[in-house]
Amino acid sequence: MSDTRTNAGVDNVSKFRKMFTWEKPGERVITILTAGNLATTQAVISLLDERLKAPEDRNPSIMAATTMFQVANLVGDTLKEVIRTQGSDGPESESPFGATMIVGGQIAGIGPRLFLVYPEGNFIEASEETPFFQAGETKYGRPILLRAYNPKMTFEEAIKLLYVSFDSTLKANLSVGMPLDLQTIETDACKVAAQRRVEENDPYFTTISSRWGDALKLAFNSLPDYEF
Amino acid sequence: MSDTRTNAGVDNVSKFRKMFTWEKPGERVITILTAGNLATTQAVISLLDERLKAPEDRNPSIMAATTMFQVANLVGDTLKEVIRTQGSDGPESESPFGATMIVGGQIAGIGPRLFLVYPEGNFIEASEETPFFQAGETKYGRPILLRAYNPKMTFEEAIKLLYVSFDSTLKANLSVGMPLDLQTIETDACKVAAQRRVEENDPYFTTISSRWGDALKLAFNSLPDYEF
């Protein structure tokens, strides 16, 4: 799940998609979620796209890479290169050019994999101990993920948890805003299973947001009060 | 409420008090909570203390200031001066010398007041619309404050809320750690009403922490699951 708000100061807020998918159903599906400087992330996505059209380039394309590890490597190299280029020989920017990307997907024959790519170009992979990644404005939504996530959850429950976590962040921080993009990938089918844009008036999101506030207050009231 | 953990990198973690009180019961009580660079905050507290012993100094002491606004002004000036001095003509530090302080209390004859003092030396005051302040690692604990705080709460409920908010932060971030310091001030008595150190094995904290986890899971399960 990703939001769509970007800003260059509070008086310059816009909406941009932060979720990008490359798909050849049955053979591979790759999704990238971006956080950080918009010029950087757009340049990375454009470069990855351009390489698809010029496959004889010295760099392979993400649609030609043979493993998800190679895909993450490609994304990392491209990200590092873009940041290096933008950072050198130009006027200094007030804000850094950094960006972080979550890269997930599957190439047929190997299990699905999930990576977090740093601005330095290196990356880490999700594991049993750390099965999920966040990027960008991560802190507000993290406590509920830590408390409620359970590897035995169904997808329906996991998506509910995403909604609750994003709702906590939306309530607390103006730099994150609706609409949200939601996507699930079907293991071994190597294709997008469900994809939708969650708008401000989305009935399920509205239900979760208002009922979560009430449920939290009930949960809080169920605890014993402090005694002096 | 304040925690006691400070760090200069994860391999250099120590315990330091971040809550400081000056009191003349019936006449005034002033409490400062500190966040940020420890050398800076210790220097500010020492300077404020030293001025009490040398009252003929050109700067008044916080025990001689006639309003809490003047106290906040004094703290802000001292903080700004310390940061300016530490930041100039010395080797550059990797971490900035910044610090933020919450200043609360009452001087007899005027209502209790609460200020948030910035590293720049200026400050804002709590109001009906923004009745509480956080400083330091604020984000993890903020969503529950926004959802559960209610100006009609009793002190017993408000302290429970502090415990829950700190617990969310403690679970998510190593830079905040037990023990915690808790203090309440009694309006118009101009003195500390209750003060205690909450250790790791504190029975009430343990109860809140474990029952909050369960209550959150129950609250989460009470929401309808997502439907594809």
Side-chain angles (χ1 to χ4, degrees), chain B:
Chain B
M1 183 173 259
S2 56
D3 82 319
T4 49
R5 184 163 295 177
T6 71
N7 75 83
V10 283
D11 55 352
N12 190 356
V13 171
S14 349
K15 240 189 274 182
F16 283 95
R17 190 173 183 78
K18 302 180 190 174
M19 179 186 282
F20 304 89
T21 300
W22 294 262
E23 187 185 32
K24 191 174 162 192
E27 198 269 315
R28 78 178 58 204
V29 56
I30 299 163
T31 292
I32 299 182
L33 305 180
T34 65
N37 184 289
L38 182 66
T40 297
T41 61
Q42 285 194 342
V44 171
I45 299 299
S46 297
L47 282 170
L48 293 173
D49 256 341
E50 266 179 22
R51 280 191 204 139
L52 298 181
K53 289 161 204 152
E56 53 282 338
D57 192 357
R58 74 188 160 88
N59 288 305
S61 84
I62 56 174
M63 291 307 271
T66 54
T67 64
M68 281 300 296
F69 179 84
Q70 283 187 19
V71 171
N73 232 326
L74 262 166
V75 173
D77 286 348
T78 311
L79 178 57
K80 183 170 64 174
E81 182 61 21
V82 166
I83 294 175
R84 198 186 59 75
T85 316
Q86 299 198 337
S88 65
D89 66 79
E92 294 239 340
S93 163
E94 266 181 61
S95 64
F97 296 110
T100 307
M101 300 193 166
I102 293 175
V103 179
Q106 185 174 16
I107 293 175
I110 322 175
R113 295 175 76 176
L114 182 68
F115 299 92
L116 179 68
V117 183
Y118 295 110
E120 291 79 6
N122 58 351
F123 50 87
I124 57 175
E125 183 171 3
S127 66
E128 250 176 70
E129 297 84 20
T130 303
F132 60 82
F133 287 133
Q134 297 173 278
E137 188 59 67
T138 60
K139 294 185 178 183
Y140 302 105
R142 193 165 178 81
I144 186 62
L145 291 179
L146 294 178
R147 293 278 199 171
Y149 176 77
N150 167 357
K152 292 188 190 120
M153 271 181 162
T154 63
F155 260 77
E156 286 79 0
E157 289 173 316
I159 291 176
K160 175 168 75 171
L161 181 53
L162 280 173
Y163 273 65
V164 169
S165 174
F166 266 86
D167 180 57
S168 297
T169 308
L170 288 163
K171 283 269 184 304
N173 196 297
L174 279 181
S175 74
V176 178
M178 302 281 281
L180 309 175
D181 285 309
L182 172 69
Q183 187 188 96
T184 56
I185 289 175
E186 194 184 330
T187 304
D188 295 337
C190 292
K191 63 169 189 171
V192 170
Q195 165 111 35
R196 61 184 296 197
R197 176 151 283 199
V198 183
E199 300 283 352
E200 208 126 4
N201 56 2
D202 181 87
Y204 182 66
F205 186 82
T206 316
T207 305
I208 291 294
S209 179
S210 72
R211 286 188 50 182
W212 179 241
D214 297 339
L216 266 187
K217 275 173 216 144
L218 276 178
F220 179 71
N221 289 334
S222 79
L223 301 184
D225 284 352
Y226 182 79
E227 283 172 43
F228 280 103

Side-chain angles (χ1 to χ4, degrees), chain A residues 172-206:
Chain A
N173 196 299
L174 280 182
S175 74
V176 178
M178 303 283 281
L180 309 176
D181 286 309
L182 171 69
Q183 186 188 96
T184 55
I185 289 175
E186 194 185 330
T187 302
D188 295 336
C190 291
K191 63 169 189 169
V192 170
Q195 165 110 35
R196 61 185 294 197
R197 175 150 283 199
V198 183
E199 300 283 351
E200 208 126 4
N201 56 3
D202 180 87
Y204 182 65
F205 186 81
T206 316

Side-chain angles (χ1 to χ4, degrees), chain A residues 89-111:
Chain A
D89 65 78
E92 294 239 339
S93 163
E94 268 181 59
S95 65
F97 296 109
T100 307
M101 301 193 166
I102 294 175
V103 179
Q106 185 174 17
I107 293 176
I110 322 176

Side-chain angles (χ1 to χ4, degrees), chain A residues 1 33 100-104 113-118 123-127 130-136 138 142 145 162 166:
Chain A
M1 182 173 260
L33 306 179
T100 307
M101 301 193 166
I102 294 175
V103 179
R113 296 175 76 174
L114 182 68
F115 299 92
L116 179 69
V117 183
Y118 295 110
F123 51 87
I124 56 175
E125 182 172 4
S127 66
T130 304
F132 61 82
F133 286 132
Q134 298 173 277
T138 61
R142 192 164 179 80
L145 291 179
L162 280 173
F166 266 86

Side-chain angles (χ1 to χ4, degrees), chain A residues 205-224:
Chain A
F205 186 81
T206 316
T207 306
I208 291 293
S209 179
S210 72
R211 287 188 51 181
W212 179 241
D214 297 339
L216 265 189
K217 276 174 214 141
L218 277 178
F220 179 72
N221 289 334
S222 78
L223 301 184

